[in-house]
Amino acid sequence: MPAPVRLRELIRTIRAARTQAEERDVIQKECALIRSSFREEDNTYRCRNVAKLIYMHMLGYPAHFGQLECLKLIASQRFTDKRIGYLGAMLLLDERQDVHLLMTNCLKNDLNHSTQFVQGLSLCTLGCMGSSDMCRDLAGEVEKLLKNSNSYIRKKAALAAVHVIRKVPELLEMFLPATKNLLNDKNHGVLHAAVVLVIEMCKHSPDTHTYFRKVVPQLVKSLKNLIMSGYSPEHDVSGISDPFLQVQILRLLRMLGKSDDEASEQMNDILAQVATNTETSKNVGNAILYETVLTVMDIKSESGLRVLAVNILGRFLLNNDKNIRYVALTSLLKMVQTDHNAVQRHRSTIVDCLTDLDVSIKRRAMDLCFALVNGSNVRGMMKELLYFLDHCDPEFKADCASGIFLAAEKYAPNKRWHIDTIMRVLTTAGSYVRDDSVPLLIQLISNANSLHAYIVQKLHQAIRVDISQQPLVQVAVWCVGEYGDLLLSGEFEEETPVQVTEDEVLDVLEKILHSSLSALSTREYALTAIMKLSTRLQSSTNRIRKAVSIYGSSLDVELQQRAVEYSALFMRFDHMRPALLERMPLIQKTGTNGPMNATLHGDEKEEGGNLPAQEQLSQQAQVNNLLDLLDDSKPTVSLPEASKVHQARGELLDLLDGLNMPDLQSSGLSAGQPQLLPDGIAPPSFQNASNSKQGIPSITAFNQNGLKIEFSFERSKANPNMLFITLCASNSTEMDMSNFVLQAAVPKSFQLQLMSPSGSIIPAKNSGAITQLMRVLNSQKHPLRMRLKLMYNHKEVPFEVMTDVNEFPTQAWE
């Protein structure tokens, strides 16, 4: 058989192919020749054939039939064969295929080979595609090589150890002593690999944080040597000494200094030196500064150092590189909650980013601008954001309008400014606003008694110019229908009076009714507004009657029904028309109408009790997620009291639709349905002294993964059917549990209410606890059953657990 073509010749032939089909033809012919050579066990050209298969694999063609040939090359004694064999194994094999297990013995032999380059090949292969079983078998050899006197071998062994720990985390302790010694190595490559290995250990085992915090001074010293060292051609990159090693050390310091005061204190000085001495003219320096900023943000750093980090990000905003500006905006958005004042100093630069041509930068800048809005700068920031809303692309208008609504609602200095801002948004981007913007603005206008004349004039002028913005038109039409008499009176506060006739008002409304731009809901608003004007415009009753009667034969059922009923008011019920069409009463602001709870009076500013709309939706979603907690149909579900949106009438939270509780104020409570929270019942103290008196023993409701939930009980003296359950959550692990939230569900025959918990963080090592009170009403004396949903974060990992509590003491429900 003739000698196969060389790899160079094959590459040249493939590149000369003019079409994809011609290239495939060349590949197929060559694969056929390679297969024939493999069948004939041609050892002479096996290395060349495998090299060509690797190239074909890189082009995307199948090359799996060369896997066994790779193993044969690995078993060869020639270094050139081993090199191609190991390279082919890394590319053509993976742990999903059993073939790779055949090379375990070869790897073990090569790890103990006398030649460093053969050892390096085997370590690279193990670190690339070693399976869990292979890592267990070869971990001992890797650990020995970590202590090798050759720096080349130590570096490769450290990287292989990283892969071993990823695959088999329980082998981590085996590498701890050798890894600690590697951190003293003078060789930059070995030190770099050792730092990467320590980072991997810290990710898999939080206990290693304590072990390696002892080497923080050593890491600080290494970092200081890198900063202060002179020019070294071996490690210099754009004038900076080994930036890759600096970045890895900063990442490790960030992990070790998090939630540790002593370690953070040791890092403060070196972080300040890195931040002030690093050159920013090159991208390499910017990378180091960014890692420094992230480290300062995560550890318990000094306030001055955090300000320095924010200033570095502020300089990034002035950089010509778009990626650096984007990174700066993203980082500032994370810091704005903890270092608000420091970020505020760069407000003008952030606002300038709204005009950037890059859409990603523009969106990040918009989000950051909304995060910077507060009571002192709301006027200036809203001016900039409204200008941005006028000129931004359509993809930004919906989010920008929604953000302006929320910011204006939270920080409005007065109601007139609030209404002007929302009207400006509706005029500019009315087609992009959220669905509840119309009722929210109508609600706001309804409560602004002193501004009705001003508002109706502004809105009337707006719809005379443009009727394409449907939400604006709907609000304007409603206002004209309600306050049309004020529009005609010409009495406008702080405005030049504009005389408007009755015919002009009706012309605008009829134009909206007949326009093809008007949506169905807009026509419904307009028809009702025209009807209301029949009691406010004295000389246009006949015209209004004709305009309404036209829609008595409309194809739309809703419009037709309204027109027919309104026409009946002109004939059979004309004496009732003035009373039926009088002004709407003040609209109460409740959680169902929007994120506003407080009633506004005069020009007072909205204060307190306001929950963002997105937060309410999130809480409602949590309630809905509990529907399947119990097998019983329509269970009673309860969330903590602090998360409920209090309604204007002070009603209890509707515990899902199936409960059907009566109105506590209007209809009273029946004898068979005692009040859940009578005024005379005070919450029990969070002590167990009373439990012994009542004779209700405490129980452990949950005890897993270090989290323990205990229930203690006390029966109400005022209502024997009422049971107070005091929950106590403790944490026996080494780290705090954060964002702790408990939800509960009981069968339909019970009524349950959760009070606010004492906190959201459960301290570690049983050094503290969270307490929470539950009130359970058991009118029918049924055995108590409950399902709990526990959500918390531990070691930066979110947990969500459900558990049933069915073994309540009989004294708790008898």
Side-chain angles (χ1 to χ4, degrees), residues 529-552:
I530 289 178
M531 186 61 191
K532 285 206 165 192
L533 287 177
S534 66
T535 61
R536 293 156 175 76
L537 308 183
Q538 303 302 324
S539 59
S540 302
T541 305
N542 290 332
R543 180 178 175 180
I544 293 174
R545 182 187 299 142
K546 292 178 182 179
V548 170
S549 63
I550 292 174
Y551 288 89

Side-chain angles (χ1 to χ4, degrees), residues 765-805:
K765 300 179 181 180
N766 293 322
S767 58
I770 288 180
T771 55
Q772 189 169 4
L773 177 65
M774 291 188 280
R775 291 178 168 132
V776 181
L777 181 63
N778 184 6
S779 304
Q780 302 179 20
K781 300 292 186 180
H782 286 170
L784 182 57
R785 294 191 302 118
M786 185 179 297
R787 176 165 290 183
L788 303 179
K789 183 176 182 181
L790 310 172
M791 292 172 287
Y792 60 95
N793 292 343
H794 189 222
K795 300 179 181 178
E796 301 182 353
V797 177
F799 288 87
E800 184 174 305
V801 184
M802 287 192 184
T803 183
D804 291 328
V805 186

Side-chain angles (χ1 to χ4, degrees), residues 326-384:
Y326 179 82
V327 164
L329 290 169
T330 304
S331 303
L332 287 171
L333 192 57
K334 295 177 182 177
M335 298 183 70
V336 71
Q337 300 300 328
T338 55
D339 300 276
H340 189 84
N341 293 331
V343 179
Q344 281 282 2
R345 297 190 184 100
H346 304 277
R347 189 171 68 227
S348 59
T349 310
I350 295 168
V351 170
D352 291 340
C353 291
L354 291 172
T355 60
D356 199 285
L357 297 178
D358 189 282
V359 293
S360 299
I361 293 177
K362 217 181 281 188
R363 182 168 294 279
R364 276 287 175 264
M366 180 183 71
D367 295 339
L368 185 53
C369 284
F370 283 122
L372 290 176
V373 176
N374 56 31
S376 61
N377 64 18
V378 63
R379 291 181 182 270
M381 290 298 294
M382 285 299 107
K383 182 179 179 181
E384 298 290 348

Side-chain angles (χ1 to χ4, degrees), residues 498-511:
V498 178
Q499 295 299 324
V500 181
T501 64
E502 294 184 3
D503 288 337
E504 289 175 342
V505 175
L506 292 175
D507 287 343
V508 173
L509 294 179
E510 289 181 355
K511 177 183 176 183

Side-chain angles (χ1 to χ4, degrees), residues 645-691:
V645 180
H646 298 288
Q647 299 182 3
R649 294 179 298 166
E651 299 174 341
L652 292 175
L653 175 67
D654 182 8
L655 300 178
L656 301 182
D657 298 335
L659 191 57
N660 296 326
M661 289 179 63
D663 189 297
L664 296 180
Q665 292 188 358
S666 60
S667 61
L669 294 168
S670 63
Q673 183 73 24
Q675 187 176 356
L676 180 61
L677 294 173
D679 295 336
I681 298 180
S685 60
F686 293 104
Q687 299 177 1
N688 294 331
S690 60
N691 294 340

